[in-house]
Every structure is written in C-alpha cells, then in structure tokens.
Amino acid sequence: AYMGRGAFRFCLNDCADALHDVDQALAIYPKQRFAYELKASILSTCADEGVRDGAEAVNLARRALALRDNLGSHATLAAAFAEAGQFSDSVREIGIAETMARTEGVGERELAVLAEARALFENAQPYRHRGFGAECTVGPSGSDSEVSE
C-alpha cells in the first residue's frame, strides 16, 4: 500500500510525502527493488529542488540494479547520474536501458521517453519528472506498474 501511494504522490509532484511512503515500505520490506528505484527517481527527478539529492539517488539506483538488472533500473540509474552531474555515465546507462527496451519489445511511448532522456543527458541536462499528464510515468523508464517483488 505504501508503494502504490508513494508512486501516486510522486505523480502528483508531492515528493516529500512520496519519499515518506517509500521509506515506510522499505522499513517493512528492505529488499524491494522497486522501492529503491522509486526513491532514486524521486531524489533525482523531482521538480522540487529541495528534495533532490543526486549522490543518494545514485546509491539507491545502484542498489535497485543489484537487486534486479532490468531496463527500469538502468534508466533510473541514468537519471540519478545526470542529477549528480555525471552525464557520460547517464548516457551509458540510458543506452543500456534503450537496448533492453528494444529487446523486450516495449511500446513506442516508452521508447520516446527514453530517447527524450538520452537527448537531455547528451546535452548535460537532467531529467525532470512532470507529474500527471495523459499517463503518469515514475521515471525515464516509464515503469510504474510493478510495486512489489
């Protein structure tokens, strides 16, 4: 329940409360990969500058990747690297995510989000979460459906 509410709050750009929910989820189940990924996304892409922490986002994204090597984890790590100012690392990681996305046959919308993130990183700009649109995506991976493992 905490993860679902945290993801929803992030979609509303309520980053502080989203972080609180994710921390609650991690206290209950500390090996939940998506919780680390979501927290890293919040810390690296939130519109609220006061919430962002690139170094912590990188640590959390690396932990998520260690728990499960998938396109979402690589895309989250890419966004975290960008927030930390490590743009060459962010370009490398988004490239891995794009390759995995094509291999997995994800949709055009998800590929477009990854391409948009790549363009930002190549121009030394971080990715910023936009909140609700037609559909809310949690981060540059576009993966917000998996809330537990």
Side-chain angles (χ1 to χ4, degrees), residues 11 21 24 80 101 118 145:
C11 284
D21 286 340
Q24 292 290 336
R118 170 185 279 286
S145 59

Side-chain angles (χ1 to χ4, degrees), residues 18-147:
L19 283 173
H20 179 7
D21 286 340
V22 174
D23 286 338
Q24 292 290 336
L26 285 169
I28 294 167
Y29 186 56
K31 291 189 177 183
Q32 190 172 167
R33 183 220 24 111
F34 184 70
Y36 291 107
E37 194 175 304
L38 178 58
K39 188 170 181 179
S41 290
I42 295 167
L43 292 174
S44 60
T45 69
C46 183
D48 181 353
E49 183 179 342
V51 171
R52 293 194 307 266
D53 182 341
E56 180 64 12
V58 168
N59 290 334
L60 293 164
R62 283 183 169 149
R63 186 145 187 201
L65 183 60
L67 290 169
R68 185 166 179 199
D69 185 347
N70 69 0
L71 78 96
S73 296
H74 283 283
T76 300
L77 183 55
F81 277 137
E83 178 59 27
Q86 297 172 252
F87 292 102
S88 62
D89 293 325
S90 66
V91 170
R92 181 191 69 240
E93 289 298 323
I94 205 69
I96 294 169
E98 287 175 312
T99 299
M100 293 174 107
R102 285 186 202 94
T103 301
E104 294 172 15
V106 302
E108 291 300 315
R109 178 180 163 272
E110 290 84 359
L111 288 171
V113 171
L114 291 169
E116 175 190 354
R118 170 185 279 286
L120 288 168
F121 303 156
E122 287 174 343
N123 288 297
Q125 296 178 8
Y127 181 90
R128 289 292 170 252
H129 176 72
R130 293 184 208 112
F132 266 121
E135 295 180 44
C136 178
T137 59
V138 171
S141 69
S143 63
D144 62 345
S145 59
E146 186 180 342
V147 293

Side-chain angles (χ1 to χ4, degrees), residues 5-20:
R5 187 172 68 184
F8 183 72
R9 285 178 165 170
F10 186 40
C11 284
L12 296 173
N13 284 320
D14 182 1
C15 297
D17 286 339
L19 283 173
H20 179 7

